[in-house]
Amino acid sequence: MGKCGLFVLVALFVVLSVVSVHAQNLLVNSSFEQDAVEDGLSPGWAVYSWGGSAGWVKPWGDTYGKWVAAAGGWNAGGVTIWCQSAPCVPGKQVTFRVQARGVSGCDGWAKLVLEFYGPFTEGGGMALATAECTPVTGVFGWTPLTVTATVPELAVRVRGLAWAEGMTTGCIEFDNASLETDGAPQQVTAGQAKTMPDGSLVCLKWPVVVKDNGSSFYNTDCYVADYGHEGVIRVIGSEPVYSNNNPVWLTKGCMLCVTGTVATVDGEKVIQATDLAPSSWDGPWPKTLAMNTKAVPEGIDKKGYLVKLAGKVNSVASDYSYFYISDGSRVTGEAGTGIKVLYPLTGDVDKYPKQDDVVSAIGVCWPETVEDTTYYVLNTRSANDVAPANQGGGDHEANLLQNPGLENGPLGWFYGPSFAVEPWAWHTGSRGAAIYGWDGNAGSPLSTWFGQTITATPGATYEFRTWVKKEASFIGDVKIKLEWRDANDQPVGSDVISDALAAGPDWQEFTINGTCPAGATKVNAVFAGENVIAGGAAMFDDAVLKITAAP
């Protein structure tokens, strides 16, 4: 199929002529290849799903690169959209192109949609006008979808949506996207904007909010960093930002679409926003460029860098709002050697880092001035940004598992069929692992697994625990296991296997314990599904594997 037909949803003159040769592709990461993590976020893109559908980044590409944006569903009313926004100019043409295909018995359809917005507004219900192409249905090979429209009066931003709907089986994949127009403001990084003269009209390239500077539901004042770490700049917006007719607060981790003029305020280069809207509420964070502050090259302002620290906790605030960590960089902190980690207590105080615990922490490095002396502090975003690195003198437990909360997709884990990381399967954070009960049947029961291999110490006692939830319609057994293996991956001794877990529709934590036998060099910590014949999903999240007794 060639170019899709156009269908105008709101009074909008659709132009069929060729876009100007001066048109530029305003999308970032247009083929989903940038820092791709299976089932993770795709930098620059937002994905939204509802009604029994979900979207993932998958390594299924074969024509336009390794990675694709995929959408699958199990309900005819389900919808998944992959979208990205860019500035536009009234009267100019916009063309949105994406390659799409339907695979694995797909019974849904794909289409492209353009939505046009006025300043400081976003969300389908606030679009000034929309246009879409004719859907392509069922199973089909790579097909170029295209929608072209003229920007209506008062519009300053366009959002291109790759739309998948109606699937109960199979999936739709998207790749090789472009959103082209001419006349749009110059697209620059935050670092480039800081070198431009006041009054320059610019659009920032995929900025992420890294620090709040006084934002509210009625105004925006924050610092943003480019995803690729090409600078940090302050963004000021004097008007409220509305999403689906409600004012919103643009918080840390939110990726923005920012257009505005360069200005100097109190000696600091800033962007005075003429248009501002969330592009993706969940980042992702800019790339981690350093393992500690000392590793950031000398001569570079550390402000705004995403840094990962690991070291011993040397003091904790009495109100549990921050702690200090000695990470080996010998940075002098406000309260001695170490770096202040801003980490407000959000859960059980017994799990807050204690003095002499060894932990890792990830966050944005930022200068803080106390009595005319500047120190670097680490601004964390969520509870998942601090994790135990090793057992210290405190009680903060040492988790031997990598990516235990599945926030980085299946990174570090091995898994079997019909088992995947999903954005709807979380106990905490935004992801968890799920067994697809609907893939099993009485004639061919499903058995599958999701596990991680860790170096083991013979004679040591291990505890493996995880949170489990099972939908009422799921029919099958779920278990957790400790499998002892030698250097050749052969079984050693007897594996520790739980009984079928009595999990239900509410999250529960289950635990098993076992002692590593002589001859074993590694242990597999495994979630397993057995004799699965029907139903919804069984879900796992927040796993812990730790040594409770030394040999």
Side-chain angles (χ1 to χ4, degrees):
M1 178 178 177
K3 182 177 289 188
C4 295
L6 298 179
F7 177 69
V8 181
L9 299 179
V10 179
L12 175 65
F13 178 61
V14 179
V15 180
L16 299 178
S17 59
V18 178
V19 177
S20 164
V21 295
H22 299 294
Q24 54 180 317
N25 184 4
L26 297 178
L27 297 181
V28 294
N29 190 21
S30 58
S31 289
F32 306 96
E33 300 294 314
Q34 178 82 42
D35 298 320
V37 175
E38 187 169 6
D39 298 324
L41 298 169
S42 187
W45 292 88
V47 58
Y48 301 104
S49 300
W50 63 90
S53 185
W56 320 274
V57 179
K58 290 291 187 182
W60 297 341
D62 54 14
T63 302
Y64 306 103
K66 177 180 178 181
W67 297 90
V68 299
W74 50 94
N75 187 313
V79 175
T80 290
I81 56 175
W82 290 86
C83 57
Q84 195 171 145
S85 299
C88 60
V89 176
K92 300 292 185 179
Q93 277 185 249
V94 174
T95 297
F96 184 36
R97 298 184 178 93
V98 181
Q99 293 285 338
R101 67 177 174 183
V103 298
S104 302
C106 173
D107 60 353
W109 61 90
K111 64 181 180 181
L112 302 185
V113 178
L114 288 174
E115 296 176 342
F116 294 95
Y117 293 95
F120 299 94
T121 63
E122 75 91 34
M126 302 192 75
L128 298 174
T130 63
E132 66 179 55
C133 73
T134 302
V136 185
T137 62
V139 177
F140 54 95
W142 284 118
T143 300
L145 306 184
T146 304
V147 56
T148 300
T150 299
V151 181
E153 187 178 357
L154 303 180
V156 297
R157 183 176 3 94
V158 59
R159 181 163 68 170
L161 300 91
W163 189 297
E165 184 173 352
M167 290 163 292
T168 61
T169 185
C171 72
I172 288 172
E173 299 171 11
F174 298 110
D175 205 352
N176 197 33
S178 67
L179 184 64
E180 298 175 346
T181 187
D182 53 6
Q186 182 180 1
Q187 193 175 49
V188 299
T189 66
Q192 290 170 331
K194 293 174 77 170
T195 67
M196 300 178 73
D198 288 358
S200 301
L201 180 64
V202 298
C203 172
L204 291 184
K205 181 182 179 182
W206 58 7
V208 180
V209 178
V210 293
K211 188 176 187 299
D212 181 76
N213 195 51
S215 293
S216 71
F217 286 107
Y218 307 104
N219 70 291
T220 299
D221 190 343
C222 63
Y223 285 88
V224 300
D226 302 298
Y227 175 75
H229 266 304
E230 296 159 280
V232 177
I233 196 167
R234 182 181 174 191
V235 173
I236 301 172
S238 59
E239 298 184 34
V241 176
Y242 286 90
S243 177
N244 290 312
N245 295 299
N246 295 308
V248 292
W249 190 328
L250 302 177
T251 55
K252 284 190 293 184
C254 180
M255 186 171 282
L256 305 180
C257 187
V258 179
T259 300
T261 55
V262 178
T264 301
V265 176
D266 297 329
E268 179 182 24
K269 284 286 188 179
V270 304
I271 300 293
Q272 297 278 13
T274 57
D275 178 46
L276 187 60
S279 175
S280 172
W281 284 103
D282 195 20
W285 275 111
K287 292 184 290 186
T288 305
L289 290 192
M291 294 305 292
N292 58 44
T293 53
K294 187 177 181 181
V296 178
E298 292 298 325
I300 293 180
D301 184 358
K302 298 178 177 65
K303 182 171 73 174
Y305 272 72
L306 190 68
V307 173
K308 184 175 183 179
L309 309 176
K312 182 178 289 188
V313 176
N314 60 41
S315 64
V316 179
S318 59
D319 62 354
Y320 300 102
S321 60
Y322 64 86
F323 61 89
Y324 276 85
I325 184 172
S326 297
D327 71 331
S329 59
R330 294 184 174 84
V331 174
T332 301
E334 178 186 350
T337 301
I339 293 177
K340 186 177 183 179
V341 179
L342 301 180
Y343 186 61
L345 177 67
T346 58
D348 186 352
V349 68
D350 290 335
K351 293 187 176 182
Y352 196 87
K354 296 178 176 58
Q355 187 158 334
D356 294 329
D357 281 345
V358 179
V359 302
S360 65
I362 189 168
V364 174
C365 196
W366 207 264
E368 182 178 274
T369 301
V370 179
E371 296 180 353
D372 298 325
T373 302
T374 299
Y375 309 96
Y376 279 105
V377 301
L378 203 70
N379 288 264
T380 60
R381 184 178 64 164
S382 71
N384 293 324
D385 289 337
V386 173
N390 202 350
Q391 186 72 29
D395 298 327
H396 204 53
E397 60 195 9
N399 191 351
L400 301 176
L401 297 174
Q402 177 187 8
N403 185 28
L406 292 311
E407 296 305 303
N408 293 314
L411 180 67
W413 297 85
F414 59 84
Y415 51 96
S418 302
F419 212 145
V421 175
E422 295 286 4
W424 42 262
W426 54 269
H427 170 245
T428 63
S430 59
R431 286 173 179 77
I435 299 172
Y436 301 157
W438 51 86
D439 282 352
N441 59 74
S444 180
L446 171 68
S447 291
T448 189
W449 56 90
F450 197 97
Q452 190 169 144
T453 303
I454 302 295
T455 300
T457 302
T461 300
Y462 289 81
E463 176 184 278
F464 178 39
R465 67 176 190 265
T466 185
W467 289 83
V468 183
K469 175 180 176 180
K470 189 167 68 173
E471 293 180 337
S473 58
F474 180 91
I475 301 176
D477 295 331
V478 290
K479 300 179 179 181
I480 53 177
K481 305 179 180 182
L482 289 172
E483 300 175 340
W484 314 110
R485 298 293 183 263
D486 64 15
N488 297 317
D489 207 31
Q490 296 301 306
V492 178
S494 299
D495 295 339
V496 180
I497 304 174
S498 72
D499 294 330
L501 303 179
D506 296 320
W507 286 101
Q508 297 173 260
E509 191 174 33
F510 295 89
T511 303
I512 57 175
N513 296 273
T515 300
C516 180
T521 61
K522 51 191 173 182
V523 58
N524 297 328
V526 179
F527 314 130
E530 300 177 357
N531 300 313
V532 179
I533 61 173
M539 291 158 268
F540 303 86
D541 196 11
D542 294 331
V544 173
L545 177 66
K546 67 175 185 175
I547 295 176
T548 56

